Amino acid sequence: MEQILDAAEELFSKHGLYGVTLKDVAQRVGVHHTLLNYYFADKKTLFDAVFARRAAVTSERRMKALEDYEAQAGDRPTVEGALHAFLDTDLDLYIQGGEGWKNYGALGALVSNTPEWGAELMDQHFDPVVLRLIKLLKKALPDCAEEDIFWGYHFVTGALMVTLARTGRIDKLSGGLCKSEDFVAIKQRMARFMAAGFLEICDARAPARKG
């Protein structure tokens, strides 16, 4: 079963739901496609199983990191601290977890940008941990408008999904100075960069709200 899920994950991450057949997966594993039909009613069922397998791991790890950070920070959490808990825990999986986790990251980027069915999967698997982050950000930014916090998260997740897609575009634009596979470099910068954005939009709008 793990071989089936690994093979399907790699293929789906590169070609999407509609670019892969059950026969393609069976061929990659080296089994007859009827075996896949025995375990999975259709291709979408297999896709959902592939996505759910690692989603449970990353959600659980991030939820624990957020809870541990809040317990440590007490009444004085910071935006950057909350973002480190949310982002770094996930990025560590892509740094340490091998090609399988990197394939899952690319798959997540694809799912998050497919409104017709991807949004439902993201809602199902990630809403609790995202709302936990939002709650912590509100605590760190008590005077910030709620809409600005949600917009800030929107920008964070957009940057994260582009990062996980590993398109190689940054490699070409930078002439090789930066590499889309370099999750260590990304981890060193992302939370700090995004925290500055949160603080900027909240501070910039504060006078308008008070006026």
Side-chain angles (χ1 to χ4, degrees):
M1 180 59 70
E2 289 298 305
Q3 287 181 313
I4 291 172
L5 294 175
D6 286 345
E9 182 177 65
E10 181 181 1
L11 290 170
F12 284 136
S13 73
K14 294 177 179 177
H15 307 293
L17 173 63
Y18 299 116
V20 178
T21 67
L22 289 178
K23 287 185 178 180
D24 293 332
V25 177
Q27 185 176 15
R28 177 64 63 91
V29 179
V31 299
H32 196 273
H33 68 85
T34 53
L35 179 64
L36 270 71
N37 293 125
Y38 176 79
Y39 287 113
F40 303 100
D42 52 35
K43 181 173 60 174
K44 184 60 165 59
T45 305
L46 172 59
F47 188 97
D48 290 349
V50 167
F51 192 77
R53 177 177 60 156
R54 296 193 201 270
V57 176
T58 181
S59 292
E60 182 178 336
R61 284 171 61 102
R62 283 193 284 184
M63 188 70 81
K64 184 178 186 307
L66 288 167
E67 291 172 352
D68 288 349
Y69 173 70
E70 185 170 25
Q72 173 190 341
D75 294 330
R76 302 187 66 181
T78 66
V79 177
E80 186 172 343
L83 290 174
H84 272 299
F86 182 78
L87 294 169
D88 291 3
T89 309
D90 213 40
L91 290 170
D92 282 342
L93 289 170
Y94 306 114
I95 293 169
Q96 303 164 7
E99 197 62 23
W101 269 101
K102 290 180 180 179
N103 288 336
Y104 177 76
L107 183 64
L110 185 152
V111 169
S112 70
N113 286 284
T114 309
E116 62 181 84
W117 51 264
E120 182 180 350
L121 275 179
M122 299 300 286
D123 293 347
Q124 176 185 345
H125 292 288
F126 296 119
D127 275 9
V129 71
V130 170
L131 292 174
R132 187 69 180 78
L133 170 64
I134 296 294
K135 180 181 177 182
L136 191 51
L137 289 171
K138 289 179 180 179
K139 189 174 180 181
L141 294 166
D143 298 323
C144 187
E146 188 174 20
E147 65 185 286
D148 288 332
I149 291 177
F150 277 101
W151 276 120
Y153 169 74
H154 180 72
F155 302 144
V156 167
T157 193
L160 180 60
M161 291 304 111
V162 169
T163 296
L164 297 184
R166 294 183 297 150
T167 64
R169 180 162 166 73
I170 189 66
D171 308 51
K172 297 175 184 176
L173 288 170
S174 68
L177 185 63
C178 304
K179 299 185 183 301
S180 60
E181 300 275 352
D182 192 352
F183 286 106
V184 172
I186 292 161
K187 179 182 173 182
Q188 290 171 349
R189 295 164 172 83
M190 183 173 279
R192 184 178 180 186
F193 180 87
M194 292 299 175
F198 269 99
L199 295 174
E200 176 61 27
I201 60 173
C202 288
D203 288 348
R205 286 170 52 81
R209 291 197 303 274
K210 291 176 181 177

